[in-house]
Amino acid sequence: MAPRAAGLTTPAFVEHWRTTHSVAAGRIPGLRRYTQFHPVLVDGRLPLPYPGFDACSLLQFDSLETMDAGFSSDVYRDEVMPNEAVLVDKSRFSLFLGDARISSGIPGGTVVLVTLLRRHPALSAEEFSAALDGPWSAWSGGHEQYVSVGTGRGGRQTDVADAVDVRAFDDPGQALTWLTDEEQGVATDVAMAGLGLVVGRVLARTFQVV
């Protein structure tokens, strides 16, 4: 997750990200899945508060070792990094490293609501993980969760969140209605009170690269 580089408009940023950058990043060795979350605009504007980033991508590998090898490869160093330099502001780059919990996979072209959650300080990582299996996870559509790997990440950047939740909707209007409905999204957030804190949300459309 990173803000776009200075001088790039949102449309120009998304076009470069979807084309030139996706071709380079899609060639990282060991990459099993690569999904970009393109921001959805309503009446030309973001419908939710700016989350602190413009680029938000999901890259999946079979293991941490495979991931580390991919990001140490010539492809990443010689092709992806130079492209990132003109696309995003890497000085304000954030990341999240987690294990996948996929209830129902979300295909490309789908409208999604991406929620970043921080574990409440009163909870252990194990208690927080269990809470994510409760009412928060009840969902009938496409749904993917990613929970921070937590300990054992020596030398790696600290995660921007403790969990990331991705839910699929038919269209942006349905997502926004769900989010503000007292018996739907609001009730779901209330169920997490004292367990998890929402630290950011983005309404996006998935673009499947790999």
Side-chain angles (χ1 to χ4, degrees):
M1 294 162 277
R4 64 182 182 269
L8 282 179
T9 64
T10 296
F13 164 79
V14 171
E15 178 64 17
H16 184 104
W17 184 27
R18 183 183 65 83
T19 55
T20 305
H21 184 73
S22 70
V23 171
R27 296 184 58 245
I28 295 174
L31 186 60
R32 172 176 284 240
R33 178 186 176 200
Y34 174 28
T35 305
Q36 295 178 344
F37 295 100
H38 294 172
V40 168
L41 303 180
V42 176
D43 296 328
R45 305 178 66 179
L46 292 172
L48 300 175
Y50 180 66
F53 53 82
D54 298 278
C56 180
S57 295
L58 169 68
L59 295 93
Q60 290 186 333
F61 297 85
D62 288 334
S63 66
L64 287 174
E65 292 75 20
T66 303
M67 182 190 75
D68 289 340
F71 286 117
S72 298
S73 67
D74 292 343
V75 170
Y76 183 73
R77 184 186 64 247
D78 298 337
E79 299 181 34
V80 180
M81 289 184 67
N83 195 265
E84 286 179 337
V86 301
L87 182 66
V88 302
D89 183 349
K90 291 298 290 285
S91 69
R92 295 183 289 159
F93 183 80
S94 301
L95 59 79
F96 172 84
L97 181 60
D99 289 324
R101 295 179 177 180
I102 299 178
S103 300
S104 178
I106 299 173
T110 303
V111 171
V112 294
L113 183 65
V114 182
T115 301
L116 280 65
L117 286 162
R118 178 64 72 187
R119 173 171 55 88
H120 193 283
L123 261 66
S124 67
E126 292 74 17
E127 290 171 325
F128 178 66
S129 179
L132 291 173
D133 291 329
W136 175 267
S137 291
W139 188 244
S140 58
H143 189 204
E144 302 182 5
Q145 279 188 348
Y146 300 87
V147 182
S148 173
V149 299
T151 58
R153 299 183 61 239
R156 301 180 190 275
Q157 182 177 339
T158 302
D159 287 331
V160 72
D162 293 301
V164 176
D165 184 272
V166 185
R167 299 173 189 236
F169 293 85
D170 292 336
D171 55 63
Q174 184 190 50
L176 294 173
T177 297
W178 177 86
L179 183 60
T180 57
D181 190 295
E182 289 287 342
E183 297 181 358
Q184 298 185 73
V186 174
T188 302
D189 284 349
V190 169
M192 286 295 287
L195 305 173
L197 306 172
V198 173
V199 294
R201 277 193 166 111
V202 60
L203 186 63
R205 189 178 298 275
T206 59
F207 176 67
Q208 201 69 41
V209 180
V210 175

